[in-house]
DNA sequence: TTTTGTGCAAACTTTTTGCAAACAG
DNA sequence: CTGTTTGCAAAAAGTTTGCACAAAA
């Protein structure tokens, strides 16, 4: 029942939709899910939850600190489980794959810069957009084919 | 006529709307403008350009490399003039103010990380979200006032 | 029972698209 | 003149909200 108490700690009742959504993030292959992704995955496993509820729950979870919201370049928000350890993201602009990394030196420099600018930092959000190894080879193949 | 030739170099005809929009970015106080911002600013100076045209032109300019598109956390895209020199952004989550910075050490680490992950990097996009100095004092005042 | 949460449909915001008229080269 | 570009209105896409009903404590 750790999930139910996670929710109670956040001041949220342990309802069906909330438990299902939390469970999804804990068990899904992909760490990064959009509202639409969550909605579809739940439909697939016959757990019908309204799309509006998905949006509401995701926002509540973000406010409760259970999830972190990101705005990659796609125009839609994606969420991932907040497991404490901060990290940054490498995002493939071709296939959408996300790889995570952490670099202490970068974090240190970020803090120094925020201080210089008198910014009270809330989110060290770094996204490196590029083309992943797989897409590079795939695209190279396509070029040669012409 | 440098603007007109900038456009021609990009394979775009030098039309009224395009020249006005490019000019706006070159003369505006704020470096970072959303489509809506551009639309309103042009209306203010009696230069009527349809909103759809603003969107189309901004996208064309981005593809031509004249502008850079960012997705801050606001849900709307903002654009800035591409002046070659790469930099990162400190974004105030309270007032939306954007400050720019550049840190060679961070760039170096980013390149190293991209290489480790076999990513072909396209955009070193770093956004530090926080609260700017002004908003910190403003919010502190508000708290005391209660 | 009383508060809180859910589903649905409708509204809203940002961005895109189809098409006829206007414009640049 | 001929292909591009524009403006408008309509449509998409993502997200939020109002409200009656359902579920949790």
């Amino acid at each position: 029942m750790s999930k139910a108490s996670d929710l109670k700690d956040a001041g949220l009742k342990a309802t069906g939709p909330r438990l299902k959504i939390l469970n999804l993030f804990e068990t899904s292959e992909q760490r990064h899910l959009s509202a639409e992704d969550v909605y579809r995955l739940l439909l697939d496993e016959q757990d019908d939850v309204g799309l509006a509820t998905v949006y509401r729950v995701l926002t509540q979870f973000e406010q409760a600190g259970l999830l972190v919201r990101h705005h990659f370049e796609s125009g839609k928000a994606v969420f991932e489980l907040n497991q404490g350890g901060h990290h940054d993201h490498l995002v493939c602009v071709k296939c959408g794959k996300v790889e995570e990394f952490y670099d202490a030196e970068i974090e240190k420099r970020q803090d120094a810069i925020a201080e210089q600018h008198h910014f009270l930092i809330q989110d060290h959000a770094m996204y490196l957009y590029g083309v992943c190894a797989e897409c590079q080879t795939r695209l190279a193949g396509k070029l040669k084919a012409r």
Side-chain angles (χ1 to χ4, degrees), chain A:
Chain A
M1 282 276 91
S2 76
K3 288 159 195 178
S5 49
D6 283 354
L7 291 180
K8 290 222 197 74
D9 292 350
L12 299 169
K13 288 185 180 176
T15 65
R18 289 186 184 147
L19 290 170
K20 287 174 195 163
I21 292 174
L22 188 51
N23 184 57
L24 190 59
F25 275 95
E26 284 168 347
T27 60
S28 169
E29 290 279 295
Q30 314 170 54
R31 280 184 54 77
H32 300 84
L33 301 172
S34 67
E36 191 72 22
D37 292 336
V38 170
Y39 179 66
R40 298 224 164 284
L41 287 171
L42 290 181
L43 278 192
D44 288 351
E45 44 188 78
Q46 263 81 50
D47 290 333
D48 289 30
V49 175
L51 182 55
T53 300
V54 171
Y55 274 104
R56 276 185 292 231
V57 169
L58 290 175
T59 301
Q60 290 160 352
F61 283 4
E62 184 199 10
Q63 284 165 355
L66 295 171
L67 296 179
V68 180
R69 183 194 300 250
H70 297 286
H71 290 88
F72 295 151
E73 43 128 54
S74 56
K76 48 163 78 176
V78 300
F79 297 80
E80 72 174 313
L81 219 45
N82 181 4
Q83 294 173 315
H86 167 73
H87 57 259
D88 291 306
H89 300 85
L90 276 160
V91 182
C92 179
V93 298
K94 297 298 176 187
C95 69
K97 188 170 69 175
V98 178
E99 293 185 25
E100 302 179 346
F101 67 92
Y102 178 83
D103 187 275
E105 183 62 30
I106 287 178
E107 302 294 317
K108 202 161 65 180
R109 301 290 308 137
Q110 288 180 337
D111 287 334
I113 287 160
E115 193 166 328
Q116 276 167 36
H117 288 256
H118 307 290
F119 253 69
L120 187 65
I121 219 162
Q122 298 207 328
D123 187 4
H124 296 231
M126 188 164 90
Y127 309 119
L128 296 183
Y129 295 110
V131 183
C132 71
E134 291 70 43
C135 288
Q136 283 172 55
T137 49
R138 186 167 51 73
L139 292 171
K142 218 179 256 173
L143 271 181
K144 223 179 279 173
R146 291 194 304 148

